[in-house]
Amino acid sequence: MDRLYVSVLTSKTNLPVPQFKSTRPACSLYNPEREALQFAEQTSPADIFLLLGAGAGYHLKELSARFPDARFLVMEASEDDINFLKQTMPEIKRLSVMPNITIFPEDELEKMLLQNYLPALYPSFSVLELRSWCSERLEHTVEIRQKIKAVLEKISCDFATQSHFGKIWQHNILKNIPAVKDIKNLPLPVNKTAVIAAAGPSLDETADYICRNRKNVYVISTDTAYQPLRRRGIFCDAVVSIDGQAVSQNHFAGTIDAESLFIFDIAANSQAVRKTAENGNQIIFSTSGHPLAELIQHINGKKSFFPLTSGAGTVTMAAVDFAAKAGFSEITVLGADFGYTGGKSYAKGTYLDILFKAGENKLRTFETTFSALQYRSPLTRISAKKTTTKLLESYRISFEEWADQNGFTLENDSEIYILHKREKDKAVAMPLNQSSIDIVRLKSVAKEFPAYKDFRTEEYDRSSPFQTAFLPFIAYLRKKEQYSSRPYKALQNLALDDFVLYTKLL
């Protein structure tokens, strides 16, 4: 794109002022410093600011002086504009190297917000607009505001998930550490077709596909589909579980096939992990990027967890990703309805059948509870037999995007998804290796952990596992009324105390 700034003007106070290509100045030509001071004085406090337009830097100078502990993300139109301002505006050159200020081009807006706006670290967020900058590109500014809104919604959703599960995840991770055992190059029959079994209603009709092709398939069940398949006499070669909630242990009620391989997220329910380990099953632990898991691997000095993506957060996506990374080039997915088929929420035989049946009475029947499950969100009818929701539709889109991004063609044949690795993207298996956790070393590091260091006083380094490890737990604390107004340092220390306590129990 064309550069927004074209030359430099001089104010009456003998200060440089950048000029837009429309010939208008980026700030006052009379007294830009006074204008900047008034701007800062009218600005309410926040922990992190997004400033649209850097201009001459006078506004940013006053803001950073007024809010010295705040983080500033400053957006400019392009990299060329940033370079121009650094070369011609002394304040921009000076401010651009400050640790709490980042100046970036517009095409990096989403990435910058996702990387830097962490509500657990920065509770309050504010968008500021340099009026002259926005007026110069008035129509485009509307698009920018919409993009900011969309990214903030994504961040809000992620924060809501962390605030709900942050404590559960941290406790599960630490409780699951003793179950992590050494595994070296675990072989899988990748010449077969990997069949992923999700627990959608269509599994009732398509499960027979496994029986017809049993010798030629490697069955990877999601945790919810495990009981429905076992009730049909179908052996699961592998089972994937990522949910940390206590209710997920119900997927494995009763007998577990000792020959099945289990793939648990390291933050998965610890009771389910313990039962499986005591049963003698081999367990591969995975991670979808929880920062505490990254810290533990950092302390251990080895990669102990198999990296998996769960897309929009579904176990089905995690199971498909495991199959692809294990080296399967042919993958078939059953029971991935991404909706309610035939008025049903799940296949027959899931733990919900037992749970809802046990809780039914004359006023709330088994069917009433399942109906409530469906109608908790607005439904959209997509065929005579099928409805969906906005959330379930997002899962489908995430699944299709994953297939394309990972080099798979995708077909949907009567509720059976068939994925085929493109020739140019032939499957390359990641070795299934796992290193046990050195618990003595972990406890030693926990004792010396910088429990009273306030990372907000320094440049925040997202790549440091020591700085990111406890953000989900802090997000959980932020949502609690008794902790919501406490400073970040106090919440960080609570999270660290919890970490130290649980490592002592290992």
Side-chain angles (χ1 to χ4, degrees), residues 412-426:
N412 185 358
D413 181 13
S414 301
E415 300 297 344
I416 296 178
Y417 284 97
I418 301 171
L419 292 89
H420 174 72
K421 192 75 171 175
R422 302 186 190 104
E423 284 299 313
K424 64 178 181 179
D425 297 311
K426 288 185 178 179

Side-chain angles (χ1 to χ4, degrees), residues 158 161-162 169 173 240-244 263-268 285-294 297 303 305-315 317-319 321 325 462 472:
D158 182 58
T161 302
Q162 290 187 34
W169 287 338
I173 289 172
V240 178
S241 182
I242 65 172
D243 189 5
I263 300 95
F264 279 109
D265 188 286
I266 188 62
F285 283 96
S286 69
T287 177
S288 57
H290 192 291
L292 180 55
E294 298 304 313
Q297 291 187 116
K303 285 289 183 184
F305 312 129
F306 194 76
L308 287 183
T309 178
S310 57
T314 69
V315 65
M317 194 66 261
D321 194 55
K325 286 177 176 170
R462 191 179 177 87

Side-chain angles (χ1 to χ4, degrees), residues 125-142:
F125 174 86
S126 179
V127 179
L128 303 177
E129 298 180 355
L130 195 61
R131 189 183 305 169
S132 60
W133 191 90
C134 293
S135 298
E136 183 70 12
R137 37 207 328 258
L138 197 56
E139 293 184 4
H140 194 58
T141 301
V142 175

Side-chain angles (χ1 to χ4, degrees), residues 101-114:
I101 295 175
T102 302
I103 303 176
F104 64 93
E106 184 183 318
D107 58 7
E108 295 183 7
L109 173 61
E110 181 171 1
K111 182 183 78 172
M112 282 294 170
L113 281 177
L114 291 175

Side-chain angles (χ1 to χ4, degrees), residues 183-188 218 261 282 284 322 430-433:
I183 294 176
K184 182 82 172 171
N185 293 324
L186 181 68
L188 294 182
Y218 183 82
L261 170 68
Q282 197 162 36
I284 289 283
F322 173 77
M430 288 181 63
L432 291 174
N433 296 329

